[in-house]
Amino acid sequence: MDRNFRLTAELTGCTVAEAERDFASRAALGRLVEEHEVAQALVAMLAMPGLCGADIDLSAGMIAPA
């Protein structure tokens, strides 16, 4: 993600911090998720009976930029 934020900053002329803040502002939580949160969600999903790959939303609630 650091690379993505750096490249976005270079392309748009904003700072890396601004690129990260803009990206995170589109998330449902308004922030990036932490590694332990991803791990907890994965463990919870693995415990769900009948879960298939199509049930998993990989967008994490992200909203496409306008």
Side-chain angles (χ1 to χ4, degrees), residues 2-53:
D2 291 338
R3 177 179 172 270
N4 291 340
F5 297 140
R6 182 180 48 78
L7 292 174
T8 297
E10 290 173 7
L11 290 172
T12 62
C14 68
T15 67
V16 173
E18 289 169 332
E20 182 176 345
R21 191 168 42 252
D22 178 60
F23 181 81
S25 72
R26 298 189 308 264
L29 293 173
R31 63 176 176 81
L32 299 179
V33 294
E34 302 290 332
E35 291 88 352
H36 73 276
E37 294 170 313
V38 174
Q40 289 171 340
L42 178 60
V43 169
M45 287 188 293
L46 290 173
M48 294 176 182
L51 179 74
C52 77

